[in-house]
Each structure stands twice: as structure tokens, then as C-alpha cells.
Amino acid sequence: MSKVQVIIRLKNGVLDPQGKTAQHALQALGFQEAAQVRIGKFIELELDGANPDQVNTRVREMCEKLLANPVIEDFEILGG
Amino acid sequence: MRVSVLLFPGSNCDRDAIHAFEAVLGAEVNGIWHKETDLKNPDLVFIPGGFSFGDYLRSGAIARFSPIMEQVQAYVARGGYVMGVCNGFQILCEMQLLPGALLTNKPIKFLCQDVFVRVEPNQSPMLQKLTPGQVLRIPIAHGMGQYFADEATLDRLEGEGQVLMRYCSAEGSLDEASNPNGSLRSIAGICNADGRVFGMMPHPERHVEAELGSEDGLILLDSVLGILDRVN
């Protein structure tokens, strides 16, 4: 069993109203240093019976096919 | 005149669409469950609004892989006509049958209100009964309707007449106040390169009878069904 984490971020230049709202809330709470907040996704996968050499390639395929939308998102695979 | 309305778990505008096409416009309508693999030989495939698969992961991301969607891909490849409204538009973008993506509304609120859209100069066979500049009042109901594409794609869409409608004021002018969700270049609806695949965020199927507030949606859907004169 291998565990792989994927981080999905909105691309630079894509407006993130959710991050903006959280940033404003942080500033309202006194965290003036919160200059920018961007909110993405964290996905944790457990892969059963996967060939360790192919884990990265397979997870990359999963991201390209389903988990991320290349029009608006970048992904990063951690571990695996 | 046959319209196939696709049904996903979480679709919630399918009944309105079936009513508009069947009872108001007089078309023969088949509701097609997403697990089916027969489109029933339609003249138009209509992908309704709602929250297919709970909008999990991204709006439209899961619906895209339903069994019926392979048939829709093949139907488009054969030159078939497809219209997607709201979640249907999001699904068409996820399928890459239309360029771009729909993001969370700029004011980060779910917006449920009437808006005005202006018909843009275009070559789509689906809007030929409408006049460029014509303003329609049609409701929106979405949390993720902010149209996004990179600058090069936006320029290409505009250059090729693929921007079919923009959010506007009642008089038809474009300004930030009339662009409810912050869509880039106020884009409310687009088509693919040959004009046969059409996606829009506002819901024309909700404005097809005067008793329900407006018939502007009927004007639009009647134009879309105008393609049937051509194919029959």
C-alpha cells in the first residue's frame, strides 16, 4: 500500500474569491500581515497493489484525467 | 423534432427543460438517464442545470465520465447539436467540448436573480433567429458561473464569433455592475468552433411562459430549435 498526496492549486492569474474572502477575514481579525491567501485542494490517495516504480506516473495520469482541471489548476504530487 | 434531455444524479432543472421543449415548444422529448448508452436519435441534446454528482471535486467533473457522455462525444463528432445550461455548460467545459472553465462567482455568493444578456454577432446556427444587440431577460442560479479562459482563448473566441452572449444592463451596455459573477469580458454564453455546441449560464427554460415572469427564454429556445428546420 502506498500513500500519495496531491496538492491542487489555482493557477496564477485565476481569481480566487474564496481566498480573498478568507484574507479579508484574517485582516479583520487583526492579522494585517495576511497579504494574500490562495485556497487549493489537498487529496490523499492510498494505492493498493501499485507497482512502486509506476506510482508517480499513475497518479500523474489521475490528476490529468480527473483530479485537476488544467485550464485553471496546477497539481503537485508529494511522496509516491 | 426530438430533444434528448440528459439526467444525472443531482440534476434539478431537467423537469423545467422537458416542460419547455415538450409542452411549450411541442418537441418530442426523451429524458436519458446518465447510465444509458442510447441517445435515442435526437436533433438536439440538452444538458440541464443542477448539481450533478453534488458538484464534488469540480462542477461537472464527474458527470463528464458518465456512460452516456461517450455517446455525446460521438454525436458531436458526427455534427450533432448540443446545448448545456448552467451545470450543463460546466460539464461541456469539463469535457473540453467548449473552451474555458466556470469559477466561483466573484462576489462569492450563490446568485439567484434575473439578469440581462445581449446577443453578440455570431455564426452559430442555433441563434440565427436572434439579432445581434438583442437584450433578453433570463434568470441565473449558480455559485460557480464566473467564466474564465486565458487571454489568447478569449481573443480567439471573440475573433471567431464564438461569444454568443454577454451580461449587460437593461439597455444592453456592458459594465461591471451588470456582470453579476465577474465573468471575463462579461461572457454569459459561448459556442464551439462550428457553432453546434452551445453553453450558457442563465436558464432560458425558466422563462418560457408569461405567467412565470417572461417569455425571453422561449425566444432563445425557439431559435435553438430552429436548427431542426435544417436537419429534418
Side-chain angles (χ1 to χ4, degrees):
Chain A
M1 181 84 72
S2 27
K3 225 176 214 185
V4 181
Q5 289 96 25
V6 177
I7 293 180
I8 294 169
R9 295 182 175 87
L10 280 177
K11 285 186 172 174
N12 286 334
V14 175
L15 196 68
D16 178 13
Q18 197 180 186
K20 203 84 185 154
T21 305
Q23 183 214 353
H24 289 155
L26 286 171
Q27 291 187 335
L29 289 168
F31 298 103
Q32 301 306 332
E33 67 271 35
Q36 174 154 241
V37 178
R38 304 277 286 172
I39 296 180
K41 291 188 187 115
F42 176 81
I43 299 174
E44 193 163 65
L45 297 150
E46 285 183 18
L47 304 176
D48 207 2
N51 178 342
D53 298 338
Q54 291 182 348
V55 164
N56 200 280
T57 312
R58 295 285 287 172
V59 174
R60 180 165 295 279
E61 282 173 21
M62 292 180 198
C63 290
E64 286 168 351
K65 193 159 187 198
L66 176 69
L67 298 177
N69 178 346
V71 177
I72 48 170
E73 295 169 328
D74 291 321
F75 63 86
E76 184 184 345
I77 301 167
L78 309 175
Chain B
M1 306 211 300
R2 273 183 310 276
V3 180
S4 287
V5 176
L6 306 189
L7 312 169
F8 298 92
S11 296
N12 65 11
C13 302
D14 45 305
R15 294 290 176 102
D16 302 58
I18 289 169
H19 174 76
F21 285 120
E22 198 170 53
V24 184
L25 282 156
E28 177 190 335
V29 179
N30 288 300
I32 312 272
W33 182 238
H34 74 114
K35 285 189 174 169
E36 292 182 38
T37 52
D38 179 5
L39 274 177
K40 300 194 176 157
N41 192 27
D43 300 308
L44 173 75
V45 169
F46 185 87
I47 310 180
F51 299 86
S52 59
F53 298 92
D55 264 359
Y56 294 157
L57 194 62
R58 295 178 308 277
S59 304
I62 312 286
R64 173 194 171 188
F65 294 105
S66 281
I68 196 65
M69 298 320 267
E70 270 183 49
Q71 302 303 316
V72 173
Q73 289 275 14
Y75 175 74
V76 169
R78 291 197 302 271
Y81 290 92
V82 179
M83 178 177 185
V85 161
C86 199
N87 190 222
F89 185 13
Q90 295 163 338
I91 293 170
L92 289 170
C93 287
E94 281 283 342
M95 290 175 84
Q96 295 172 9
L97 286 175
L98 291 174
L102 284 312
L103 304 172
T104 303
N105 295 339
K106 197 171 171 187
I108 204 166
K109 283 188 293 193
F110 188 94
L111 297 168
C112 190
Q113 63 196 62
D114 280 6
V115 299
F116 294 98
V117 292
R118 186 180 79 187
V119 178
E120 298 297 292
N122 69 82
Q123 299 299 319
S124 173
M126 299 168 96
L127 294 193
Q128 288 314 297
K129 288 189 181 178
L130 305 180
T131 317
Q134 189 171 351
V135 175
L136 302 172
R137 182 165 63 90
I138 299 181
I140 55 168
H142 60 245
M144 301 192 73
Q146 181 199 162
Y147 184 73
F148 173 89
D150 59 43
E151 289 294 309
T153 303
L154 292 169
D155 288 344
R156 181 169 52 80
L157 287 173
E158 288 184 338
E160 303 291 326
Q162 288 175 245
V163 175
L164 300 188
M165 56 186 69
R166 298 183 207 259
Y167 300 106
C168 67
S169 69
E171 293 75 35
S173 59
L174 305 181
D175 51 57
E176 209 174 319
S178 310
N179 182 7
N181 52 31
S183 288
L184 293 183
R185 304 194 194 181
S186 297
I187 290 172
I190 58 170
C191 65
N192 69 345
D194 68 10
R196 291 164 182 257
V197 179
F198 168 25
M200 62 185 287
M201 285 311 295
H203 288 272
E205 78 282 2
R206 293 190 186 182
H207 266 185
V208 295
E209 287 157 309
E211 295 93 318
L212 296 177
S214 163
E215 292 183 328
D216 283 8
L218 183 63
I219 296 170
L220 179 78
L221 293 180
D222 178 60
S223 176
V224 171
L225 286 195
I227 55 168
L228 305 181
D229 303 340
R230 228 159 292 224
V231 291
N232 280 347

